[in-house]
Amino acid sequence: MTGKPDQHQQAESIADRIIERLDGRIVLGLPLGLGKANLVANALFDRAVKDRAIDLEILTALTLEKPSWSSDMERRFVEPLVERLYSGCPDIAYAKALREGELPENIRVSEFFFVAGRWLAVEIAQQNYISANYTHVGRYLIDRGINVLAQLVAKRGNGVDAEYSLSCNTDITLDVLPKIRARRESFLLVGEVSSQLPFMPGEAALPAGEFDFILDGPDCDRPLFVVPRAPVSMADHAIGIHAASLVKDGGTLQIGIGSLGDALTSGLIMRQRRPELFADALHRLSPESAVAKRETGAFETGLYAASEMFVDGFMDLYREGILRRRASDGAILHSGFFVGSDAFHRFLRGLPEEERALFRMRGISFVNELYGEEDQKRADRVNARFVNNAMMVTLMGATVSDALADGRVVSGVGGQYNFAAQAFALESGRSIITLNAARQAHGRRESRLVWSYGHVTLPRHLRDMVVTEYGVADLYGKSDRDCIAAMLAIADSAFQDELLDTAKSAGKIEKDFTIPSDCSRNTPARIAEALLPLRKQGWCAPFPFGTEFIEEEQRLVPALRHLKHISASRRLLARAVLASLAEDRPDHEERAALERMQLAAPTTLREKFYAKLLLWALRRGQDP
């Protein structure tokens, strides 16, 4: 660390200085997600590719890449989207080399969390994956000898008075900096300035003297990487309403990213604006006995958030006046990192500084654990509801969230284990796992509630609450038998009998047990019927908070998803092709969607085939 950082306008000159200072042996730490110093990382990567005497190890997570495509139909949708949303966003060079199998021997890349499903087929990425609780990553980086940390930063002031905010990624940086500095070993902190990154105050703001190098050049105005808000299905909305009824006024909340997070946010806002409508929706979705102890009233005290990720939903809850309960330090939210929609980034940039200070970015050890300032945390995190998503849950309550049975990693553990354990450590805390009861895979529906699975993320001794579109299974302190009965009640009815037979064969439930009659109609049709009155009133919309997708794209998303599902089955695809031949002329909205896909005036036989099939899918009216 120097008295003031060396200022550079080109990433290449910083890369040269780093290589010189560290004699060509570089262990580079990059924050997960948005906070990567892409330009500096790319410059170091390029130098190492050209000079094999340089040894470069990259340790990171959640490498954000522009959307790609695997078919011509997908290309027609994705290519214009990439041009509109990601023009000016620099690609990360090591990701391309990994995917193409061109990573030189002198460069190694390890991640502890993947963008879900994006690296399943890349063997070198799977082999170098580091399985870790989020709170343990910092010590792993130190043990691996990290000697450079390069991060995107926001800037305020100039010269020696300048401050640089870690902004979107305080998570690991704030945890490792004091420990690395205390070792007095060679270490360089590099900041890459972004004028688009919100300046987050408090612990996130560091004086200029903390940095060794600052990149502040002509590229600092480039746009931030955005994550468009995903469509929310009717099943998602049902899950959101159930989960929202478990949140206590005056309590603490964590929300995950994606459609289920938006569904929960939408449910909480419905409960705030229209408590009677929310209660009615809950009764439509569940038997009377199942909702007797649920929360349906508006929020008078409001909520405080302790969430590893600061997601778009917290912006919506703040605007609604729900996120307003203050912690001991005056914050209404503590979080470790964020990445979101363009609207979310603009929201943070546009907040007056005193309001932005309500959202405090902290080290991940502060957010995800109780130890350290424990008395304060316990006082703040009353009635905590930590809501996380899962891929599967077994009937005895083990959660599968990060990997497949064959060992391939889908995403990562992240902080899920941290928050489940924290919920048990807090007197009034609850861990809530949300997931759809079934999914489309390989051309057919499959249950996501399973008897057993060859890999688990949360063991069954941490089972607590599980929520599907069909209700809530409260597993806390239950016997295996009662746990199985509760899980069967929220399973899709297409799979209940098979699951029950397996449980009986294992001797884990009595042979004469039957599925209760009020749980035997767990079907997508019943969910759609229950929520139809709400959709007619403007609730339960596919994009309840808007999206970067234009109108035509919003119509195309469910249609393309449906086509992808049926394409996995030759039989279903053949039936769809035959049915599509009978489609007549498109109406105005359908034609606009076809124009967006460059299929409104098809000329080749392939384009005519695509246009007919897509028109058929658009008319199916598939729920996203």
Side-chain angles (χ1 to χ4, degrees):
M1 182 173 63
T2 59
K4 61 180 181 178
D6 280 354
Q7 299 277 339
H8 295 255
Q9 291 200 336
Q10 300 295 327
E12 291 75 13
S13 64
I14 289 182
D16 289 339
R17 291 295 308 280
I18 291 172
I19 293 165
E20 177 187 346
R21 290 272 295 271
L22 299 175
D23 296 324
R25 172 69 178 95
I26 300 160
V27 183
L28 172 65
L30 297 172
L32 62 75
L34 184 62
K36 288 177 175 55
N38 283 10
L39 298 179
V40 172
N42 286 350
L44 284 169
F45 182 86
D46 184 61
R47 291 287 190 270
V49 168
K50 292 174 180 176
D51 183 356
R52 300 302 170 90
I54 296 171
D55 188 86
L56 175 61
E57 182 175 4
I58 300 173
L59 303 170
T60 187
L62 206 66
T63 296
L64 299 175
E65 300 174 278
K66 297 169 186 174
S68 59
W69 52 86
S70 58
S71 68
D72 185 47
M73 185 75 91
E74 287 184 3
R75 178 193 63 78
R76 291 169 180 271
F77 181 80
V78 172
E79 201 168 44
L81 191 71
V82 169
E83 179 62 29
R84 187 173 79 245
L85 297 184
Y86 301 102
S87 179
C89 292
D91 293 318
I92 192 80
Y94 68 75
K96 183 173 185 291
L98 275 171
R99 289 198 179 280
E100 296 179 356
E102 296 178 353
L103 198 68
E105 290 185 0
N106 62 316
I107 302 176
R108 298 169 302 286
V109 180
S110 293
E111 298 201 54
F112 70 88
F113 200 97
F114 294 143
V115 174
R118 292 296 299 274
W119 296 92
L120 277 170
V122 182
E123 290 185 358
I124 188 65
Q126 289 289 326
Q127 292 164 15
N128 290 341
Y129 168 78
I130 300 171
S131 185
N133 283 335
Y134 204 170
T135 52
H136 298 162
V137 171
R139 73 176 72 165
Y140 292 168
L141 295 182
I142 294 172
D143 290 344
R144 296 279 286 262
I146 180 176
N147 55 17
V148 184
L149 203 160
Q151 177 156 352
L152 203 66
V153 295
K155 178 184 175 183
R156 182 170 65 186
N158 293 292
V160 294
D161 296 325
E163 282 186 296
Y164 297 94
S165 173
L166 302 175
S167 187
C168 57
N169 282 92
T170 49
D171 46 350
I172 304 300
T173 308
L174 286 182
D175 282 349
V176 303
L177 269 183
K179 296 175 183 176
I180 291 178
R181 298 294 194 200
R183 291 189 172 199
R184 299 186 179 278
E185 297 172 354
S186 294
F187 174 78
L188 302 173
L189 181 61
V190 181
E192 184 174 306
V193 173
S194 166
S195 66
Q196 301 302 302
L197 198 62
F199 190 100
M200 304 304 289
E203 290 82 352
L206 302 180
E210 282 284 348
F211 291 84
D212 298 275
F213 301 108
I214 290 290
L215 175 63
D216 190 1
D219 293 318
C220 73
D221 292 329
R222 70 185 188 279
L224 297 175
F225 193 98
V226 298
V227 178
R229 298 182 87 153
V232 183
S233 70
M234 291 292 256
D236 294 338
H237 277 297
I239 292 168
I241 290 168
H242 284 301
S245 72
L246 303 175
V247 178
K248 287 185 175 292
D249 185 22
T252 304
L253 185 65
Q254 181 206 11
I255 300 178
I257 193 172
S259 62
L260 291 181
D262 278 353
L264 171 56
T265 301
S266 179
L268 290 168
I269 290 174
M270 185 197 306
R271 178 178 152 189
Q272 175 77 349
R273 291 186 191 172
R274 299 282 305 278
E276 74 293 340
L277 186 66
F278 177 83
D280 181 63
L282 198 59
H283 283 285
R284 285 175 173 274
L285 289 168
S286 297
E288 182 73 28
S289 59
V291 299
K293 297 181 179 179
R294 303 278 191 88
E295 304 287 335
T296 60
F299 294 90
E300 297 181 5
T301 303
L303 302 175
Y304 152 73
S307 184
E308 66 176 9
M309 185 174 182
F310 182 3
V311 297
D312 290 59
F314 288 119
M315 165 184 71
D316 303 306
L317 294 177
Y318 174 69
R319 286 171 164 168
E320 202 65 31
I322 297 172
L323 185 67
R324 67 175 185 271
R325 182 173 73 83
R326 298 201 178 202
S328 306
D329 62 357
I332 60 173
L333 173 142
H334 288 117
S335 188
F337 77 99
F338 65 73
V339 58
S341 64
D342 182 59
F344 174 69
H345 298 151
R346 284 189 280 107
F347 160 76
L348 287 177
R349 287 197 302 268
L351 282 176
E353 189 164 344
E354 63 273 14
E355 281 190 68
R356 206 179 312 134
L358 296 173
F359 304 94
R360 298 285 289 273
M361 304 302 293
R362 299 289 303 266
I364 206 64
S365 62
F366 177 88
V367 180
N368 286 27
E369 295 283 10
L370 286 178
Y371 53 74
E373 304 176 61
E374 184 169 342
D375 290 344
Q376 173 191 327
K377 292 177 184 179
R378 287 186 177 277
D380 292 338
R381 298 177 191 183
V382 295
N383 290 319
R385 299 294 182 265
F386 300 132
V387 186
N388 288 284
N389 307 334
M391 300 190 301
M392 288 170 277
V393 179
T394 72
L395 287 201
M396 285 185 281
T399 298
V400 182
S401 300
D402 67 308
L404 304 178
D406 63 7
R408 285 180 298 154
V409 180
V410 176
S411 54
V413 177
Q416 188 169 111
Y417 187 96
N418 293 141
F419 277 99
Q422 186 179 165
F424 276 81
L426 288 166
E427 183 135 349
S428 55
R430 301 302 299 266
S431 169
I432 300 171
I433 297 297
T434 58
L435 76 165
N436 295 104
R439 65 168 186 160
Q440 288 285 345
H442 314 297
R444 64 181 187 274
R445 292 182 79 232
E446 294 181 351
S447 179
R448 296 177 70 180
L449 304 188
V450 298
W451 174 247
S452 62
Y453 195 69
H455 169 81
V456 297
T457 311
L458 300 178
R460 74 186 195 188
H461 68 264
L462 287 178
R463 61 195 184 199
D464 196 345
M465 285 183 160
V466 179
V467 180
T468 74
E469 60 267 39
Y470 303 119
V472 178
D474 188 345
L475 313 180
Y476 187 86
K478 296 282 176 61
S479 68
D480 281 358
R481 181 269 175 208
D482 290 349
C483 178
I484 291 167
M487 292 292 287
L488 286 169
I490 64 168
D492 191 288
S493 288
F495 311 102
Q496 284 174 327
D497 289 342
E498 181 182 352
L499 291 167
L500 176 56
D501 287 345
T502 306
K504 288 179 177 179
S505 297
K508 298 296 287 188
I509 199 165
E510 59 270 23
K511 295 293 191 274
D512 61 351
F513 180 87
T514 58
I515 303 294
S517 59
D518 55 9
C519 301
S520 61
R521 288 186 59 244
N522 288 355
T523 65
R526 184 176 71 78
I527 297 301
E529 179 186 354
L531 296 185
L532 183 60
L534 279 79
R535 181 159 280 189
K536 287 181 177 179
Q537 296 184 55
W539 298 95
C540 299
F543 294 94
F545 304 105
T547 178
E548 272 83 4
F549 296 125
I550 60 176
E551 274 188 46
E552 293 77 14
E553 290 165 351
Q554 292 177 36
R555 286 193 287 274
L556 285 164
V557 166
L560 291 172
R561 182 177 294 178
H562 185 52
L563 284 179
K564 189 167 186 176
H565 288 325
I566 66 170
S567 296
S569 164
R570 290 184 179 181
R571 180 179 59 84
L572 291 177
L573 182 58
R575 287 172 57 184
V577 170
L578 287 173
S580 71
L581 298 177
E583 299 295 342
D584 55 11
R585 292 179 177 275
D587 63 22
H588 176 72
E589 287 188 348
E590 292 166 346
R591 183 173 179 81
L594 291 172
E595 285 177 352
R596 166 61 180 79
M597 294 287 284
Q598 306 95 48
L599 292 172
T603 56
T604 68
L605 186 61
R606 171 178 285 190
E607 286 181 343
K608 291 176 182 178
F609 168 71
Y610 282 169
K612 281 285 190 182
L613 194 58
L614 183 57
L615 182 59
W616 172 85
L618 284 165
R619 288 174 174 173
R620 300 288 72 76
Q622 293 294 316
D623 179 37

